[in-house]
Amino acid sequence: MAQLNSHYLKLKAGYLFPEINRRVKVFTDANPEAAKRLIRCGIGDVTEPLPVAVREAMHKAVDELGQRESFHGYGPEQGYEFLRSTIAENDYRAHGLDVAADEIFVSDGSKCDCANILDVFGHGNRIAVTDPVYPVYVDTNVMAGHTGEADEARCLRRPHLPARHGGEWLHARAPARACRPDLSLLAQ
């Protein structure tokens, strides 16, 4: 019988972006005129259509994948060389920055990379995060078993982030915040 990863049960807080959407809806419902001018900066929120160059490139790529001679399936683990070279040339070297194509890594997104990098590290490591922090950095550590149980009395906003927590969890917060790390743990 398959076993559930018990560390998932430690997740207490709701995910950030549904909470943002809930609050935006409350605000826009109460302020319809202001809602027309609201610039939304939540996840995946776009305000402009795709530029012509992007649409043309996507059509070309789809057409290539539709022909046996030009079909190429999954790309290499570092990203296609032509894409990395184009990024190096147009986004870096064109602006005076000496970045080589082999210094560029193209992935399917930062969330996957953040979660996957945790597989490299053992559970006995110390982990430091800032606050505010992108939720995936905390949640992936919780789900990977790098923390102990949530201590809601210690920190109501981020209950998984006391100064010392299960697997040596350090939490660096601005001094004016409610949860403060015990920096003496860094010397241990």
Side-chain angles (χ1 to χ4, degrees), residues 115-169:
N116 292 337
I117 195 71
L118 294 175
D119 291 336
V120 175
F121 299 109
H123 293 292
N125 291 298
R126 290 182 178 168
I127 301 159
V129 295
T130 61
D131 191 11
V133 66
Y134 190 62
V136 73
Y137 301 143
V138 173
D139 292 348
T140 52
N141 274 286
V142 171
M143 293 181 291
H146 293 247
T147 68
E149 294 298 323
D151 183 355
E152 294 184 41
R154 170 94 171 89
C155 181
L156 296 177
R157 197 164 151 263
R158 293 265 191 252
H160 294 291
L161 302 178
R164 189 174 190 126
H165 197 268
E168 294 289 326
W169 185 272

Short mmCIF file of all heavy atoms in Angstrom, two decimals, residues 115-169:
data_model
loop_
_atom_site.label_atom_id
_atom_site.label_comp_id
_atom_site.label_asym_id
_atom_site.label_seq_id
_atom_site.Cartn_x
_atom_site.Cartn_y
_atom_site.Cartn_z
N ALA A 115 12.50 22.97 -5.65
CA ALA A 115 12.15 21.70 -5.01
C ALA A 115 13.20 20.65 -5.32
O ALA A 115 13.62 19.89 -4.43
CB ALA A 115 10.78 21.24 -5.49
N ASN A 116 13.66 20.58 -6.56
CA ASN A 116 14.61 19.55 -6.94
C ASN A 116 15.96 19.69 -6.27
O ASN A 116 16.61 18.69 -5.96
CB ASN A 116 14.79 19.52 -8.46
CG ASN A 116 13.54 19.04 -9.17
OD1 ASN A 116 12.71 18.36 -8.59
ND2 ASN A 116 13.41 19.41 -10.43
N ILE A 117 16.42 20.91 -6.05
CA ILE A 117 17.73 21.10 -5.43
C ILE A 117 17.75 20.53 -4.01
O ILE A 117 18.78 20.10 -3.52
CB ILE A 117 18.17 22.58 -5.46
CG1 ILE A 117 19.66 22.73 -5.16
CG2 ILE A 117 17.37 23.41 -4.47
CD1 ILE A 117 20.57 22.26 -6.24
N LEU A 118 16.59 20.49 -3.37
CA LEU A 118 16.52 19.95 -2.02
C LEU A 118 16.86 18.47 -1.97
O LEU A 118 17.33 17.96 -0.95
CB LEU A 118 15.14 20.18 -1.42
CG LEU A 118 14.77 21.63 -1.18
CD1 LEU A 118 13.35 21.74 -0.69
CD2 LEU A 118 15.74 22.28 -0.21
N ASP A 119 16.64 17.76 -3.08
CA ASP A 119 16.97 16.34 -3.12
C ASP A 119 18.47 16.09 -3.00
O ASP A 119 18.91 15.01 -2.63
CB ASP A 119 16.45 15.70 -4.42
CG ASP A 119 14.94 15.65 -4.45
OD1 ASP A 119 14.32 15.67 -3.36
OD2 ASP A 119 14.38 15.60 -5.56
N VAL A 120 19.28 17.10 -3.31
CA VAL A 120 20.73 16.96 -3.25
C VAL A 120 21.22 17.03 -1.81
O VAL A 120 22.20 16.38 -1.45
CB VAL A 120 21.39 18.07 -4.10
CG1 VAL A 120 22.90 18.03 -3.97
CG2 VAL A 120 20.97 17.95 -5.56
N PHE A 121 20.53 17.80 -0.98
CA PHE A 121 20.99 18.04 0.39
C PHE A 121 20.35 17.07 1.38
O PHE A 121 19.18 16.73 1.27
CB PHE A 121 20.68 19.48 0.81
CG PHE A 121 21.35 20.50 -0.06
CD1 PHE A 121 20.62 21.27 -0.94
CD2 PHE A 121 22.72 20.67 0.00
CE1 PHE A 121 21.24 22.20 -1.75
CE2 PHE A 121 23.35 21.59 -0.80
CZ PHE A 121 22.61 22.36 -1.68
N GLY A 122 21.11 16.69 2.39
CA GLY A 122 20.59 15.81 3.44
C GLY A 122 19.75 16.56 4.44
O GLY A 122 19.71 17.80 4.45
N HIS A 123 19.11 15.81 5.32
CA HIS A 123 18.20 16.41 6.30
C HIS A 123 18.91 17.09 7.46
O HIS A 123 18.29 17.80 8.21
CB HIS A 123 17.22 15.36 6.82
CG HIS A 123 16.29 14.87 5.77
ND1 HIS A 123 15.31 15.65 5.23
CD2 HIS A 123 16.20 13.67 5.14
CE1 HIS A 123 14.65 14.98 4.31
NE2 HIS A 123 15.16 13.78 4.23
N GLY A 124 20.20 16.88 7.63
CA GLY A 124 20.91 17.46 8.77
C GLY A 124 21.44 18.85 8.53
O GLY A 124 22.12 19.40 9.39
N ASN A 125 21.15 19.46 7.41
CA ASN A 125 21.67 20.78 7.09
C ASN A 125 20.85 21.88 7.75
O ASN A 125 19.67 21.72 8.02
CB ASN A 125 21.66 21.00 5.58
CG ASN A 125 22.67 20.13 4.89
OD1 ASN A 125 23.85 20.24 5.13
ND2 ASN A 125 22.19 19.25 4.03
N ARG A 126 21.50 23.03 7.95
CA ARG A 126 20.79 24.22 8.40
C ARG A 126 20.22 24.92 7.19
O ARG A 126 20.86 25.00 6.14
CB ARG A 126 21.72 25.16 9.14
CG ARG A 126 22.15 24.60 10.46
CD ARG A 126 23.03 25.58 11.15
NE ARG A 126 23.38 25.02 12.45
CZ ARG A 126 24.32 25.52 13.21
NH1 ARG A 126 25.00 26.56 12.82
NH2 ARG A 126 24.58 24.96 14.37
N ILE A 127 19.06 25.48 7.34
CA ILE A 127 18.37 26.15 6.24
C ILE A 127 18.04 27.56 6.70
O ILE A 127 17.52 27.74 7.79
CB ILE A 127 17.07 25.40 5.88
CG1 ILE A 127 17.39 23.98 5.49
CG2 ILE A 127 16.33 26.12 4.76
CD1 ILE A 127 16.21 23.06 5.61
N ALA A 128 18.35 28.54 5.87
CA ALA A 128 18.02 29.93 6.20
C ALA A 128 17.15 30.50 5.09
O ALA A 128 17.44 30.31 3.91
CB ALA A 128 19.28 30.77 6.36
N VAL A 129 16.08 31.16 5.47
CA VAL A 129 15.22 31.85 4.51
C VAL A 129 14.94 33.24 5.06
O VAL A 129 15.00 33.47 6.26
CB VAL A 129 13.88 31.11 4.25
CG1 VAL A 129 14.12 29.78 3.59
CG2 VAL A 129 13.08 30.94 5.52
N THR A 130 14.62 34.14 4.17
CA THR A 130 14.25 35.49 4.59
C THR A 130 12.74 35.58 4.70
O THR A 130 12.01 34.69 4.28
CB THR A 130 14.73 36.51 3.55
OG1 THR A 130 14.10 36.22 2.30
CG2 THR A 130 16.24 36.48 3.40
N ASP A 131 12.27 36.65 5.28
CA ASP A 131 10.84 36.91 5.33
C ASP A 131 10.66 38.40 5.07
O ASP A 131 11.23 39.20 5.82
CB ASP A 131 10.26 36.53 6.68
CG ASP A 131 8.74 36.55 6.66
OD1 ASP A 131 8.13 36.66 5.58
OD2 ASP A 131 8.16 36.48 7.75
N PRO A 132 9.95 38.78 4.05
CA PRO A 132 9.08 37.89 3.27
C PRO A 132 9.88 36.98 2.36
O PRO A 132 11.02 37.27 2.00
CB PRO A 132 8.21 38.86 2.47
CG PRO A 132 9.00 40.13 2.40
CD PRO A 132 9.84 40.18 3.64
N VAL A 133 9.25 35.89 1.98
CA VAL A 133 9.88 34.89 1.12
C VAL A 133 8.83 34.32 0.18
O VAL A 133 7.65 34.28 0.51
CB VAL A 133 10.51 33.76 1.97
CG1 VAL A 133 9.46 32.97 2.71
CG2 VAL A 133 11.38 32.84 1.12
N TYR A 134 9.25 33.92 -0.99
CA TYR A 134 8.36 33.25 -1.92
C TYR A 134 7.95 31.93 -1.28
O TYR A 134 8.79 31.17 -0.82
CB TYR A 134 9.08 33.04 -3.25
CG TYR A 134 8.20 32.57 -4.37
CD1 TYR A 134 7.15 33.35 -4.82
CD2 TYR A 134 8.42 31.35 -4.98
CE1 TYR A 134 6.34 32.92 -5.85
CE2 TYR A 134 7.62 30.91 -6.01
CZ TYR A 134 6.57 31.70 -6.44
OH TYR A 134 5.77 31.29 -7.45
N PRO A 135 6.67 31.62 -1.21
CA PRO A 135 6.18 30.47 -0.44
C PRO A 135 6.81 29.13 -0.82
O PRO A 135 6.99 28.27 0.04
CB PRO A 135 4.68 30.43 -0.73
CG PRO A 135 4.34 31.79 -1.21
CD PRO A 135 5.57 32.36 -1.84
N VAL A 136 7.18 28.95 -2.07
CA VAL A 136 7.73 27.66 -2.49
C VAL A 136 9.03 27.34 -1.74
O VAL A 136 9.33 26.18 -1.49
CB VAL A 136 7.91 27.58 -4.02
CG1 VAL A 136 9.07 28.42 -4.49
CG2 VAL A 136 8.09 26.14 -4.46
N TYR A 137 9.80 28.35 -1.34
CA TYR A 137 11.05 28.10 -0.65
C TYR A 137 10.81 27.47 0.72
O TYR A 137 11.57 26.63 1.18
CB TYR A 137 11.88 29.38 -0.50
CG TYR A 137 12.23 30.05 -1.80
CD1 TYR A 137 12.26 31.42 -1.91
CD2 TYR A 137 12.53 29.30 -2.94
CE1 TYR A 137 12.58 32.04 -3.11
CE2 TYR A 137 12.84 29.91 -4.14
CZ TYR A 137 12.87 31.27 -4.22
OH TYR A 137 13.19 31.88 -5.40
N VAL A 138 9.76 27.91 1.38
CA VAL A 138 9.42 27.34 2.68
C VAL A 138 8.70 26.00 2.50
O VAL A 138 9.08 25.00 3.09
CB VAL A 138 8.53 28.32 3.49
CG1 VAL A 138 8.03 27.66 4.77
CG2 VAL A 138 9.28 29.59 3.78
N ASP A 139 7.68 26.00 1.68
CA ASP A 139 6.84 24.80 1.55
C ASP A 139 7.63 23.59 1.06
O ASP A 139 7.41 22.48 1.52
CB ASP A 139 5.66 25.07 0.62
CG ASP A 139 4.66 26.05 1.21
OD1 ASP A 139 4.76 26.34 2.42
OD2 ASP A 139 3.79 26.53 0.47
N THR A 140 8.57 23.78 0.12
CA THR A 140 9.33 22.64 -0.36
C THR A 140 10.24 22.09 0.73
O THR A 140 10.45 20.88 0.81
CB THR A 140 10.15 22.98 -1.62
OG1 THR A 140 10.93 24.15 -1.37
CG2 THR A 140 9.24 23.21 -2.81
N ASN A 141 10.77 22.94 1.58
CA ASN A 141 11.57 22.46 2.70
C ASN A 141 10.72 21.69 3.70
O ASN A 141 11.14 20.67 4.23
CB ASN A 141 12.29 23.62 3.40
CG ASN A 141 13.59 23.95 2.73
OD1 ASN A 141 14.55 23.22 2.86
ND2 ASN A 141 13.61 25.04 1.99
N VAL A 142 9.51 22.17 3.95
CA VAL A 142 8.60 21.47 4.85
C VAL A 142 8.26 20.09 4.27
O VAL A 142 8.36 19.07 4.94
CB VAL A 142 7.32 22.29 5.10
CG1 VAL A 142 6.28 21.47 5.86
CG2 VAL A 142 7.65 23.56 5.87
N MET A 143 7.88 20.06 2.99
CA MET A 143 7.47 18.81 2.35
C MET A 143 8.62 17.82 2.24
O MET A 143 8.41 16.60 2.23
CB MET A 143 6.86 19.08 0.98
CG MET A 143 5.55 19.83 1.07
SD MET A 143 4.76 20.14 -0.53
CE MET A 143 5.86 21.32 -1.27
N ALA A 144 9.86 18.33 2.15
CA ALA A 144 11.03 17.45 2.05
C ALA A 144 11.47 16.92 3.41
O ALA A 144 12.38 16.11 3.49
CB ALA A 144 12.18 18.19 1.38
N GLY A 145 10.82 17.38 4.48
CA GLY A 145 11.17 16.89 5.80
C GLY A 145 12.33 17.61 6.45
O GLY A 145 12.95 17.10 7.37
N HIS A 146 12.63 18.84 6.00
CA HIS A 146 13.76 19.59 6.54
C HIS A 146 13.36 20.44 7.74
O HIS A 146 14.15 21.26 8.19
CB HIS A 146 14.36 20.49 5.45
CG HIS A 146 15.01 19.72 4.35
ND1 HIS A 146 16.35 19.76 4.12
CD2 HIS A 146 14.49 18.86 3.44
CE1 HIS A 146 16.63 18.97 3.10
NE2 HIS A 146 15.52 18.42 2.67
N THR A 147 12.13 20.29 8.23
CA THR A 147 11.68 21.05 9.40
C THR A 147 11.01 20.10 10.37
O THR A 147 10.69 18.96 10.03
CB THR A 147 10.65 22.13 9.00
OG1 THR A 147 9.45 21.49 8.57
CG2 THR A 147 11.17 23.03 7.91
N GLY A 148 10.79 20.58 11.56
CA GLY A 148 10.00 19.82 12.53
C GLY A 148 8.54 20.23 12.41
O GLY A 148 8.11 20.76 11.38
N GLU A 149 7.80 20.02 13.47
CA GLU A 149 6.39 20.42 13.48
C GLU A 149 6.28 21.93 13.56
O GLU A 149 7.16 22.60 14.09
CB GLU A 149 5.67 19.78 14.66
CG GLU A 149 5.56 18.27 14.58
CD GLU A 149 4.78 17.80 13.37
OE1 GLU A 149 3.78 18.46 13.01
OE2 GLU A 149 5.15 16.78 12.78
N ALA A 150 5.20 22.45 13.08
CA ALA A 150 4.96 23.88 13.14
C ALA A 150 4.78 24.31 14.60
O ALA A 150 4.15 23.60 15.38
CB ALA A 150 3.72 24.25 12.34
N ASP A 151 5.35 25.43 14.94
CA ASP A 151 5.22 25.99 16.28
C ASP A 151 4.41 27.28 16.16
O ASP A 151 4.95 28.37 16.02
CB ASP A 151 6.61 26.27 16.86
CG ASP A 151 6.55 26.79 18.28
OD1 ASP A 151 5.43 27.05 18.78
OD2 ASP A 151 7.62 26.95 18.88
N GLU A 152 3.08 27.13 16.17
CA GLU A 152 2.21 28.28 15.91
C GLU A 152 2.29 29.32 17.02
O GLU A 152 2.03 30.49 16.78
CB GLU A 152 0.78 27.80 15.67
CG GLU A 152 0.71 26.98 14.40
CD GLU A 152 -0.69 26.55 14.05
OE1 GLU A 152 -1.61 27.35 14.21
OE2 GLU A 152 -0.84 25.40 13.60
N ALA A 153 2.65 28.91 18.23
CA ALA A 153 2.79 29.88 19.31
C ALA A 153 4.01 30.76 19.07
O ALA A 153 4.04 31.92 19.47
CB ALA A 153 2.94 29.17 20.66
N ARG A 154 5.03 30.23 18.40
CA ARG A 154 6.27 30.98 18.14
C ARG A 154 6.08 32.01 17.03
O ARG A 154 6.61 33.09 17.08
CB ARG A 154 7.37 29.98 17.76
CG ARG A 154 8.63 30.60 17.23
CD ARG A 154 9.65 30.80 18.34
NE ARG A 154 10.91 31.21 17.77
CZ ARG A 154 11.24 32.47 17.55
NH1 ARG A 154 10.42 33.43 17.86
NH2 ARG A 154 12.40 32.77 17.04
N CYS A 155 5.34 31.64 16.02
CA CYS A 155 5.18 32.53 14.87
C CYS A 155 3.86 32.24 14.19
O CYS A 155 3.70 31.20 13.56
CB CYS A 155 6.33 32.32 13.89
SG CYS A 155 6.23 33.41 12.46
N LEU A 156 2.91 33.12 14.31
CA LEU A 156 1.58 32.88 13.76
C LEU A 156 1.54 33.00 12.24
O LEU A 156 0.80 32.29 11.58
CB LEU A 156 0.58 33.85 14.38
CG LEU A 156 0.38 33.69 15.87
CD1 LEU A 156 -0.58 34.75 16.39
CD2 LEU A 156 -0.14 32.30 16.21
N ARG A 157 2.35 33.89 11.67
CA ARG A 157 2.28 34.11 10.24
C ARG A 157 2.94 32.98 9.46
O ARG A 157 2.46 32.56 8.43
CB ARG A 157 2.95 35.43 9.89
CG ARG A 157 2.56 35.91 8.54
CD ARG A 157 2.89 37.38 8.35
NE ARG A 157 3.15 37.54 6.94
CZ ARG A 157 4.35 37.55 6.41
NH1 ARG A 157 5.41 37.44 7.15
NH2 ARG A 157 4.50 37.68 5.13
N ARG A 158 4.07 32.50 9.90
CA ARG A 158 4.80 31.42 9.25
C ARG A 158 5.17 30.41 10.34
O ARG A 158 6.29 30.40 10.84
CB ARG A 158 6.08 31.93 8.60
CG ARG A 158 5.82 32.84 7.43
CD ARG A 158 5.87 32.02 6.16
NE ARG A 158 5.89 32.87 5.01
CZ ARG A 158 4.86 33.01 4.20
NH1 ARG A 158 3.74 32.39 4.44
NH2 ARG A 158 4.94 33.78 3.15
N PRO A 159 4.21 29.55 10.73
CA PRO A 159 4.44 28.70 11.89
C PRO A 159 5.58 27.70 11.73
O PRO A 159 6.06 27.17 12.71
CB PRO A 159 3.10 27.97 12.05
CG PRO A 159 2.43 28.08 10.74
CD PRO A 159 2.90 29.35 10.13
N HIS A 160 6.06 27.45 10.53
CA HIS A 160 7.16 26.51 10.34
C HIS A 160 8.51 27.15 10.56
O HIS A 160 9.53 26.49 10.43
CB HIS A 160 7.13 25.94 8.92
CG HIS A 160 5.94 25.09 8.69
ND1 HIS A 160 5.77 23.88 9.29
CD2 HIS A 160 4.84 25.30 7.95
CE1 HIS A 160 4.61 23.37 8.92
NE2 HIS A 160 4.03 24.21 8.11
N LEU A 161 8.55 28.44 10.86
CA LEU A 161 9.82 29.14 10.84
C LEU A 161 10.29 29.68 12.18
O LEU A 161 10.69 30.81 12.29
CB LEU A 161 9.73 30.30 9.83
CG LEU A 161 9.40 29.89 8.42
CD1 LEU A 161 9.31 31.13 7.54
CD2 LEU A 161 10.42 28.93 7.86
N PRO A 162 10.27 28.89 13.23
CA PRO A 162 10.92 29.36 14.44
C PRO A 162 12.42 29.35 14.24
O PRO A 162 12.91 28.76 13.28
CB PRO A 162 10.48 28.36 15.50
CG PRO A 162 10.18 27.14 14.74
CD PRO A 162 9.68 27.58 13.40
N ALA A 163 13.16 29.99 15.15
CA ALA A 163 14.60 30.09 14.98
C ALA A 163 15.25 28.71 14.94
O ALA A 163 16.18 28.48 14.20
CB ALA A 163 15.20 30.91 16.11
N ARG A 164 14.78 27.79 15.73
CA ARG A 164 15.33 26.43 15.69
C ARG A 164 14.14 25.50 15.53
O ARG A 164 13.23 25.50 16.32
CB ARG A 164 16.09 26.13 16.97
CG ARG A 164 16.84 24.84 16.86
CD ARG A 164 17.71 24.65 18.10
NE ARG A 164 18.58 23.54 17.87
CZ ARG A 164 19.89 23.57 18.00
NH1 ARG A 164 20.47 24.68 18.37
NH2 ARG A 164 20.61 22.52 17.77
N HIS A 165 14.17 24.71 14.51
CA HIS A 165 12.97 23.96 14.16
C HIS A 165 13.37 22.64 13.55
O HIS A 165 13.92 22.62 12.47
CB HIS A 165 12.18 24.80 13.16
CG HIS A 165 10.77 24.38 13.00
ND1 HIS A 165 10.36 23.49 12.05
CD2 HIS A 165 9.66 24.75 13.68
CE1 HIS A 165 9.06 23.34 12.11
NE2 HIS A 165 8.61 24.09 13.10
N GLY A 166 13.11 21.57 14.20
CA GLY A 166 13.37 20.26 13.63
C GLY A 166 14.78 20.12 13.11
O GLY A 166 15.71 19.96 13.85
N GLY A 167 14.96 20.21 11.80
CA GLY A 167 16.25 20.01 11.14
C GLY A 167 17.09 21.25 11.08
O GLY A 167 17.55 21.62 10.01
N GLU A 168 17.30 21.94 12.22
CA GLU A 168 18.16 23.13 12.26
C GLU A 168 17.66 24.20 11.30
O GLU A 168 18.28 24.51 10.29
CB GLU A 168 19.61 22.76 11.92
CG GLU A 168 20.28 21.88 12.94
CD GLU A 168 20.57 22.63 14.22
OE1 GLU A 168 20.87 23.83 14.16
OE2 GLU A 168 20.49 22.01 15.27
N TRP A 169 16.52 24.75 11.56
CA TRP A 169 15.88 25.75 10.71
C TRP A 169 16.17 27.13 11.24
O TRP A 169 15.84 27.45 12.36
CB TRP A 169 14.39 25.47 10.69
CG TRP A 169 13.65 26.34 9.77
CD1 TRP A 169 13.12 27.56 10.04
CD2 TRP A 169 13.33 26.07 8.41
NE1 TRP A 169 12.51 28.06 8.94
CE2 TRP A 169 12.61 27.17 7.92
CE3 TRP A 169 13.58 25.01 7.55
CZ2 TRP A 169 12.14 27.23 6.63
CZ3 TRP A 169 13.11 25.07 6.27
CH2 TRP A 169 12.40 26.18 5.82
#
